[in-house]
Amino acid sequence: MNELPDNFGSNVFNDSVMKERLPKETYRALKKTISEGTHLELDVANVVANAMKDWAVSKGVTHFTHWFQPMTGITAEKHDSFINPDSHGGALMEFSGKALVRGEPDASSFPSGGLRATFEARGYTAWDPTSYAFIKDGVLCIPTAFCSYSGEALDKKTPLLRSMEALEKQALRILRLFGDNTSKRVVAQVGPEQEYFLVDRELYLKRPDLVFTGRTLLGARPPKGQELEDHYFGTIKKRVADYMTDLDRELWKLGVYAKTEHNEVAPGQHELAPIFSTANLATDANQLTMELMKTVAARHGLVCLLHEKPFAGVNGSGKHNNWSICTDTGANLLEPGATPRENAQFLLFLCAVIKAVDEYQELLRASVATAGNDHRLGANEAPPAIVSMFLGDELTEILDSIENGTLYTGHEKTQMEIGVTVLPHFPKDTTDRNRTSPFAFTGNKFEFRMPGSTLSVAGPNIVLNTIVAEALRQFADVLEKESDFNCALDKLIRTTIKEHRRIVFNGNGYDDAWVKEAESRGLANLRNTPTALRAMVEPKAIELFTKHRVFSEAEIRSRYEILLENYCKTLNIEALTMIDMVNKYVLPDVLEYEGELADIISRKTAVIPDIRCDMEKSLLKRLSELSDSAAQRLTALEKCAAELKRIADPAEQACAYRERLFPAMAELRACCDELELIVGRKYWSLPTYADLLYSVSE
Ligand code: ADP
Ligand code: MG
C-alpha cells in the first residue's frame, strides 16, 4: 500500500505532468479546452504533442496509438512510431499536434452498419482532450473519438460526449431557474461496478465453448452450486488475492481508481468497484479495466470471464452503472439538500429521472440488450427484463404525500409544500440493499443494474443522459414561462409524480407476482434482444436523439443494424461451436463408454453364459437412447443453423435465431447434460462445471 503515492497515475499524462512539462500559456489553454470544451488551436496542440512525446520517450516509449471504442465493443488501436527521417539519413523522434489531434485508422474493417458506404469511405479519430493520454504495454495511447469524414459517429464515445452536452445544457437551464448563476458546467458521473469470474487457464483451454464464445454451452449442474451462499464476501483465496493486488497495481498506474474488491455470490465470481468519475472518463477506465483483467489473469495462470452468463444455473455477471449529475461547483443534483430551495431542486431532478425512465423504459432496456445479457436478465440473482425504479419506502412516502397533499408522517408530521418546506430528513435507509431492482435510488445516485458485465457503459449512459435531458427540457420549457415559479414548480412536481408513479416499485423484482403486476401497470417486458432492440428505431426514439443531437437518424439505424448483426453472429458462432463439441467430444466419449460396457457384458457372458448383467445392460440402453436423441437433435440444429444463415434481413434473422436456433440449442444441450451425468468420469473429456467453478481452490 505504501507504494500507492509513487505509482498512482505514473503511466498517465495527467494534470500534474502537464503542469510540470507544459509552458504556462499552453497549460492554461489546454485546461480551458478541458474544462470549458473550447476549441484547441493547432499551435497549442503542437506544444502539447511534443511534451507528451518527450514524457513518453523518457519512459522508453517509441510508439503511439489513437485509442478508440468502435462498435465492436472492444477498444481498438493502431500503432505508429514517433520515428521520422531527418534530412541527413538519420531519424528523429517526432510527434506533431496534427498527429495528436487527428488520426486515420484503416476504418474499413470496423462495423459501421452501412454508414461509411452511404457517406464517406474513410473514418478518422479525434483526440478527446478531457481524457488523459496514458502508456499501456509500452505504447502512448491517445483517447479519441472515431467519426466518418462527413461527421457520423462510428464509435461509442462520440454520442456519449454529445449526450453529456445535451444533459448539461438542459440541467443548466433548470439551475438558472433556481437562481444558480455560478455553476458553469454540469456533468454526468458514473461508477461502474464490474463483476467477473476467474477460472484456471489450463481447464479453460480444454473448453472450446469458453474459448470461442466466452460461456459454457454444455455442462450439467455441479452437486454444489451457490445455494449455501458461502462465497459472497467470503475469504479471498490466495491466488485470487494475488491477482487482485496485481490488477489494482496495474490499474493505479493508469490512474484508474480501483477501490473495492470482493467475492460475489457464485463460486469463482468476484467484483471490482472503482471510484466514480465523469461519464466519458469512467467509460474509458472501465474499458481499460476489462482489458487489464484479462491480461493480468494470464500472468496468474487464470482466465477472466467477462461474459454475462458463463455458467447456466449459476449467478451471472452484471455491471452496475452508478449514475449521478454534478455541477462544477461540486453539488450533486441528486443529493437531498438542507434548505427548502435545495430540496425543491432535488425533487425536480428526481422527478426528471422518474419521468425519463418511465417514458423511455423501452429504450433503457434496449441499451443493455445483447445475446449474452439475454441469459442473465430475469434469471438467477439478476433484475428482470422489466424496467422499474426503486426509491425506498421513505422517499416513496414523501412523494405520495406530495402527490396527494397529505401529511407525511415518517419522522415528523409535515405538510409538504414545495420550495417552502424542508424535506423531512430521511436516512439513506435500506435503499441500496434492495438488489432486485433494475434501477435503484441509492441515496444520492441511481444504480442501473441491468447492464451485463461485458457491455461498454457508453450505451446505457448515452440513453440515460439523453432521456433525462429531454425531461429537463420539458420542465424548463414550462417553468421558464411561468411568473409564479414556486406555484408552477409545485404543480409540475405533483403532476409528474401522478403521471409516472407506475414505474416506482419497491418490492421484490425477482418475484413472479411482479411480472403480472408490471403487466397490469402497462410496463414493458421485453424478454430478448431482437424484441428489445426495436425500441431504438421507433419514431419516438429517433425524435429524441435527433432533437438533442446525440444521434442522426442514419446513425441510429446503422447502430440498430450492427447490434442485430452482432446478435446473429453470436448465436451462429455458439451453434457451430456446440455442434463441433458434440461431434468431437460428447458423442465420441459416449461411444467409448458404451463400447467398454458392451465389452464387459460380452466378456462376462463368455465366462458365465447365463449371467444377467442388469446394471450394465440398462445403463448401456439408457446411453444408447440418449445418444440417439442427441444425434437427432444435433442434425436438427445443423439444419437450422444452415437454413437461418441464409436469411438476408437482419431483424428477421435475429428473430428466427431467437425463436428457432435458441431452442434447438437448448434441446441438444439437455440431452448432452444428461449424458454427462451418467458417463464415467474418465470417459468425459470436457472439464465439468465442478472442475471449472472450483478450479481456483487455494
Ligand atoms: P454500494 O453500491 O455497495 O453501496 P457504494 O455506494 O460505495 O457501494 O458505491 C458503489 C459504486 O458507486 C462505486 O463505484 C462508487 O464509486 C459509485 N458511486 C458512489 N457515489 C456516486 C455518485 N455520486 N455518482 C456516481 N457513482 C457513484
Ligand atoms: Mg452497488
Side-chain angles (χ1 to χ4, degrees), residues 189-193 273-276 322-324 332 428 432-433 435 442 444-445 447:
Q189 307 269 15
V190 171
E193 298 165 55
I275 296 177
F276 65 97
N322 292 274
W323 177 91
S324 66
N332 177 351
K428 193 187 158 185
D432 45 355
R433 297 284 68 100
R435 307 187 132 256
T442 52
N444 60 3
K445 61 176 163 44
E447 186 170 333

